[in-house]
């Protein structure tokens, strides 16, 4: 499927739940956010139907997200069924890692292709400050469990909310010690993220080069999205950057997002899209569902305008409610 700006849209991110077992400071308040009723969240059969129609349009890659997707019972089973859909080539998952060690075998048995673990620090005290929860030991246990399956692509995603140089340096040490790609994601000015300044890619590179030597750009792609990578001599993994603000990549964007309540979004910043749940639950045909997906893809906005004047079309929900 080609949108009206000539981009090939082949990647669907699916939020399985708006619930999370952490309370990260840039994502939600201490007390959490209002949660959807369970009956308002798409069933797995409904998700499969959406993906079957999406695959008929050219969707080839699926990412399962949340909230925290592993909270939802049957996540691995869904991954296996998605992997079995005609046309779907890759199914991956993004998790905070707390429950990963408990579910890794089921995910691998289901055919999962890759796991992204969200982790912003290796320091126990800082982890508690950021997430307002304990659990870094469980995250690291999940990371090591994932790395025990060499067929998996394992990545660590970090939002550099902690500006101390030592924190950046220690996180990157994971890529030296293990075959894992460490990726830095610029803070998105959405929801509670608006309260935090983002740390730009160039300043992080300067810190890392001071500690480890030159970062050399690599041309290979290591995932579904727009991340670009560097290598450091002696490291097993690569260092990646997803810099949506300072290195705007909207012209290469290949994704659409399905929220846990069944709303298909063409762009993270804007509210516009299609209510697929309404079609699913009011007797809509597969043709009607496919045409709704086609319309969102074709009319995907040209790009975001973060830090420019807000409009009535801008998204007002937080990332946990949209899907991370």
């Amino acid at each position: 499927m080609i949108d009206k700006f000539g981009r090939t849209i082949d990647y669907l991110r699916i939020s399985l739940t708006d619930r999370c077992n952490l309370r990260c400071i840039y994502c939600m308040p201490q007390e959490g956010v209002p949660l959807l009723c369970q009956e308002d969240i798409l069933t797995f059969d409904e998700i499969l139907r959406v993906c079957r129609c999406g695959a008929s349009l050219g969707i080839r890659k699926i990412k399962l997200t949340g909230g925290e997707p592993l909270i939802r019972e049957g996540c691995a089973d869904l991954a296996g069924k998605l992997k079995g859909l005609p046309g779907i080539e890759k199914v991956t998952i993004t998790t905070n890692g707390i429950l990963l060690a408990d579910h890794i075998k089921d995910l691998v048995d289901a055919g999962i292709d890759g796991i992204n673990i969200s982790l912003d620090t290796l320091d126990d005290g800082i982890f508690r400050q950021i997430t307002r929860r304990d659990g870094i030991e469980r995250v690291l246990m999940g990371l090591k469990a994932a790395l025990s399956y060499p067929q998996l692509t394992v990545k660590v995603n970090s939002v550099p909310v902690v500006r101390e140089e030592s924190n950046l340096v220690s996180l990157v040490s994971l890529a030296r010690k293990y075959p894992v790609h460490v990726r830095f994601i610029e803070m998105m000015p959405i929801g509670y993220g608006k309260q935090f300044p983002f740390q730009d890619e160039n300043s992080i590179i300067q810190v890392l080069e001071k500690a480890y030597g030159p970062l050399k750009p690599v041309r290979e792609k290591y995932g579904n999205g727009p991340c670009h990578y560097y290598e450091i001599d002696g490291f097993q993994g690569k260092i990646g950057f997803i810099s949506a603000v300072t290195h705007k990549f909207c012209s290469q964007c290949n994704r659409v997002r399905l929220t846990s309540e069944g709303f298909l979004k063409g762009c993270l910043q804007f509210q516009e899209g299609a209510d697929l749940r309404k079609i699913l639950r009011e007797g809509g045909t597969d043709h009607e569902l496919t045409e709704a997906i086609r319309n969102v893809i074709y009319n995907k906005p040209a790009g975001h305008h973060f830090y420019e004047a807000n409009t009535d079309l801008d998204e007002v929900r937080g990332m946990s409610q949209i899907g991370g």
Side-chain angles (χ1 to χ4, degrees):
M1 183 66 194
I2 309 296
D3 72 6
K4 63 183 176 182
F5 299 102
R7 297 170 296 195
T8 298
I9 311 302
D10 60 359
Y11 177 26
L12 174 63
R13 295 176 66 96
I14 303 172
S15 173
L16 299 186
T17 177
D18 61 336
R19 287 159 167 76
C20 189
N21 47 5
L22 299 181
R23 293 291 181 271
C24 295
I25 56 176
Y26 51 79
C27 190
M28 62 177 73
Q30 171 75 36
E31 65 276 11
V33 295
L35 297 174
L36 294 168
C37 296
Q38 286 300 304
E39 57 267 26
D40 292 334
I41 293 176
L42 292 189
T43 67
F44 285 172
D45 284 344
E46 289 171 333
I47 290 172
L48 286 164
R49 188 177 168 199
V50 169
C51 291
R52 193 176 295 111
C53 292
S56 74
L57 293 172
I59 294 296
R60 296 291 175 257
K61 296 167 283 192
I62 292 174
K63 173 83 73 183
L64 302 178
T65 73
E68 169 48 45
L70 293 179
I71 285 178
R72 187 160 179 186
E73 186 176 352
C75 178
D77 182 60
L78 174 65
K81 290 178 179 177
L82 290 169
K83 192 72 186 292
L85 292 178
I88 299 302
E89 298 170 358
K90 284 188 177 181
V91 178
T92 58
I93 188 168
T94 291
T95 172
N96 60 32
I98 297 289
L99 301 175
L100 183 55
D102 299 332
H103 293 274
I104 186 64
K105 184 180 185 303
D106 290 340
L107 289 167
V108 171
D109 289 346
I112 204 85
D113 295 287
I115 295 179
N116 293 2
I117 301 170
S118 300
L119 181 62
D120 300 329
T121 184
L122 299 183
D123 181 274
D124 180 60
I126 297 176
F127 182 88
R128 271 195 302 273
Q129 291 175 20
I130 294 174
T131 67
R132 303 188 180 101
R133 297 290 188 272
D134 291 315
I136 192 169
E137 299 86 359
R138 298 185 68 186
V139 178
L140 296 176
M141 187 185 308
L143 171 62
K144 292 177 181 178
L147 288 169
S148 69
Y149 294 91
Q151 70 270 37
L152 286 180
T153 299
V154 181
K155 302 171 185 174
V156 169
N157 289 344
S158 175
V159 179
V161 66
V162 180
R163 302 184 71 87
E164 283 81 357
E165 294 185 4
S166 59
N167 194 68
L168 301 173
V169 171
S170 65
L171 273 170
V172 166
S173 71
L174 290 172
R176 180 166 62 178
K177 188 175 181 180
Y178 304 110
V180 58
H181 303 320
V182 176
R183 313 183 322 161
F184 293 100
I185 303 174
E186 284 183 346
M187 181 73 70
M188 304 292 276
I190 290 179
Y192 290 88
K194 293 178 180 179
Q195 303 174 26
F196 297 88
F198 68 86
Q199 190 162 359
D200 67 277
E201 177 179 327
N202 292 337
S203 67
I204 295 174
I205 289 176
Q206 290 177 9
V207 170
L208 300 183
E209 289 192 327
K210 185 166 64 175
Y212 294 116
L215 272 66
K216 304 171 186 176
V218 295
R219 293 184 177 180
E220 291 84 0
K221 288 182 67 68
Y222 295 96
N224 300 330
C227 185
H228 57 278
Y229 290 87
Y230 297 83
E231 60 185 5
I232 301 176
D233 287 343
F235 277 52
Q236 298 184 62
K238 303 294 189 290
I239 310 304
F241 292 89
I242 302 174
S243 306
V245 180
T246 59
H247 293 67
K248 187 174 178 178
F249 47 73
C250 296
S251 62
Q252 287 86 44
C253 186
N254 64 338
R255 70 187 63 183
V256 288
R257 297 170 182 265
L258 183 68
T259 71
S260 58
E261 59 191 319
F263 192 81
L264 187 67
K265 290 171 57 68
C267 178
L268 182 62
Q269 178 164 8
F270 303 107
Q271 297 182 50
E272 56 193 8
D275 184 355
L276 301 188
R277 186 183 66 189
K278 181 178 175 64
I279 298 172
L280 288 162
R281 297 187 180 178
E282 293 186 0
T285 65
D286 281 358
H287 175 74
E288 290 171 319
L289 186 59
T290 301
E291 288 306 301
I293 297 169
R294 186 196 304 274
N295 185 60
V296 172
I297 289 176
Y298 183 73
N299 291 297
K300 179 177 168 66
H304 67 70
H305 56 234
F306 292 138
Y307 299 109
E308 297 175 17
N310 292 335
T311 73
D312 292 339
L313 297 176
D314 287 356
E315 182 60 77
V316 295
R317 294 172 298 176
M319 286 297 289
S320 66
Q321 298 163 307
I322 301 169

